[in-house]
Amino acid sequence: MKVLVVGSGGREHALCFAFQKSGKVTQIYCANGNAGIGKIAELVAIKPHEILKLADFAEQNRIDLTFVGGETSLALGIVDEFERRGLRIFGVSRRAAGLEASKSFAKDFMARHKIPTAAYKTAYSTVEAIEILEAGEFGGENAPVVVKADGLAAGKGVVVAKDRAEAIAAINELANVVGKEATEKIVLEECLFGREVSLILFADGKNFALMPPTRDHKRIGEGDTGANTGGMGTITDENFLSGEQTAAIIEEIIKPTLKGAEGEGFPIRGIIFLGLMMTATGAKVLEYNMRFGDPETQSILVRLETDLVEICDAVISQTLDKTGIKWKKGNSACIVLASKGYPAKAQTGDVISGIGEAEKLESVTIFHAGTGNDANGDFVTSGGRVLGITATADSLEESLKRAYEAVGKISFEGMQYRRDIGK
Ligand code: AMP
Ligand code: GLY
């Protein structure tokens, strides 16, 4: 069968890698991919927001299954368009994607279905947002508060402000950082405290299957300092959540989310990515993403033993309850290598050396994110996050050790990475 993966980052390379392992897949296409993906898939020059062109491509090339990597295409309704044309696709509908694409929609949904999350209020202008804070909501002048732009903002739309003055400054800056439309709806939230866990699951509308819990390191600098990024590294670890915690998340969050969405007419068939805060009073939802994470996917899919095509089939045909999903025991880690200047302004065109040597190490897989080829055919940097060096092992320590050993083999001008992933 022929599979099309939509996207161009490390997440999509990991998806192509998983499809390549499937005995059912004969040809992989990736729109629009990167140099590493180009080694295992045929690259197609269509961007994720060009959903009509993607549907045309799938029709003309008789693609049997399309898998959508990122939120842009989902929020634009790629799944609705494909399904309208009778094309098989894995991903959530436009309405379900709204749980990620609009924070106020997600918060109101959680309120309607009594899903634990931070207390919030939606403001419809910067003036109103500031008035709400000055009226003393979310604590006084010295209380921390979280400011969120309503729409998709590639990680730039959230500011955890330590006091009211910082929150007001963040509100006034939103238009500059995310764009003017970001000030038309602003969500203000109670600041939660605790440990963050990302829990990603497959859902077929009614049934679900959990993936190993992961943790992401979002800041560029060690010790969680410096600017926010798309993610500098992840680990998977079943010990992040106790059996009791998992059971509570299922009952209080996952089941009401699936039931609520179905009841409101947008059953969730695809992926739910729960950003959770483990507070003193239990797990609370920080955010919903309706797709795989990047770089969470890299560390998750290297542990997937079941054929990804079988899982996609089960989700699309709503038989996930009859499909056992097997994960490699132990742990995994993914260390992101980023280019010079990332995340402010990434320098590109630097030659990358050592990939071949690093790939020879046991249990190491290298996923490309921002890579291209120069005139000599060598890999060069072409984006902010360049590579995801991923390793599996029986323990977290060993998987980190293997991943960092592989990192040690790779170099390019100005290469940045965090030495404290998983710590
Ligand atoms: P989001 O995109 O909504 O997940 O927010 C990005 C990051 O901001 C999260 O990963 C958290 O670290 C932080 N964050 C978001 N909401 C809250 C909250 N209510 N309290 C504390 N931290 C938060
Ligand atoms: N790594 C965070 C995300 O994909 O949203």
Side-chain angles (χ1 to χ4, degrees), residues 242-278:
S242 67
E244 226 169 274
Q245 285 171 324
T246 305
I249 292 167
I250 289 172
E251 289 308 317
E252 292 164 20
I253 297 172
I254 297 174
K255 286 186 180 171
T257 298
L258 287 170
K259 200 156 173 261
E262 190 185 21
E264 294 191 22
F266 59 93
I268 300 170
R269 276 195 290 278
I271 280 170
I272 308 177
F273 169 156
L274 299 169
L276 301 171
M277 187 73 95
M278 304 305 294

Side-chain angles (χ1 to χ4, degrees), residues 84-246:
R84 202 174 57 74
R85 300 195 196 187
L87 297 165
R88 289 179 82 246
I89 186 162
F90 180 101
V92 296
S93 66
R94 187 185 57 80
R95 283 188 68 202
L99 288 174
E100 170 169 6
S102 166
K103 300 224 184 257
S104 61
F105 175 70
K107 295 297 282 191
D108 294 347
F109 173 86
M110 287 188 268
R112 283 196 293 281
H113 300 289
K114 303 195 170 47
I115 294 165
T117 187
Y120 75 105
K121 206 148 204 185
T122 306
Y124 295 87
S125 68
T126 51
V127 174
E128 189 188 355
I130 293 168
E131 277 171 7
I132 290 171
L133 294 182
E134 287 182 336
E137 296 233 21
F138 306 103
E141 252 173 82
N142 297 318
V145 60
V146 184
V147 176
K148 299 185 174 184
D150 184 63
L152 293 175
K156 296 193 195 98
V158 175
V159 176
V160 181
K162 68 172 187 314
D163 54 29
R164 192 195 294 165
E166 205 175 291
I168 292 175
I171 291 167
N172 285 321
E173 265 302 295
L174 267 187
N176 294 331
V177 179
V178 198
K180 190 148 189 320
E181 60 287 359
T183 59
E184 285 162 16
K185 257 192 208 173
I186 300 168
V187 174
L188 301 169
E189 264 185 40
E190 159 202 15
C191 188
L192 299 175
F193 297 93
R195 193 165 51 88
E196 279 187 53
V197 176
S198 300
L199 187 59
I200 309 183
L201 46 129
F202 295 105
D204 72 2
K206 281 190 177 10
N207 309 292
F208 63 91
L210 301 180
M211 305 186 203
T214 66
R215 197 168 93 214
D216 185 12
H217 298 261
K218 284 220 171 93
R219 303 297 190 97
I220 185 79
E222 275 148 37
D224 289 327
T225 55
N228 240 329
T229 71
M232 292 299 291
T234 47
I235 50 179
T236 64
D237 192 346
E238 270 74 358
N239 296 323
F240 281 159
L241 296 171
S242 67
E244 226 169 274
Q245 285 171 324
T246 305

Side-chain angles (χ1 to χ4, degrees), residues 6 22 26-28 71 100 112 115 128-129 134 143 150 153 195 200 230 268 295 311 325 340 347 402:
V6 179
S22 165
T26 49
Q27 168 85 52
I28 306 171
E71 63 276 18
E100 170 169 6
R112 283 196 293 281
I115 294 165
E128 189 188 355
E134 287 182 336
D150 184 63
R195 193 165 51 88
I200 309 183
I268 300 170
I311 300 175
I325 300 182
K340 185 174 180 174
Q347 174 174 307
R402 284 181 184 171

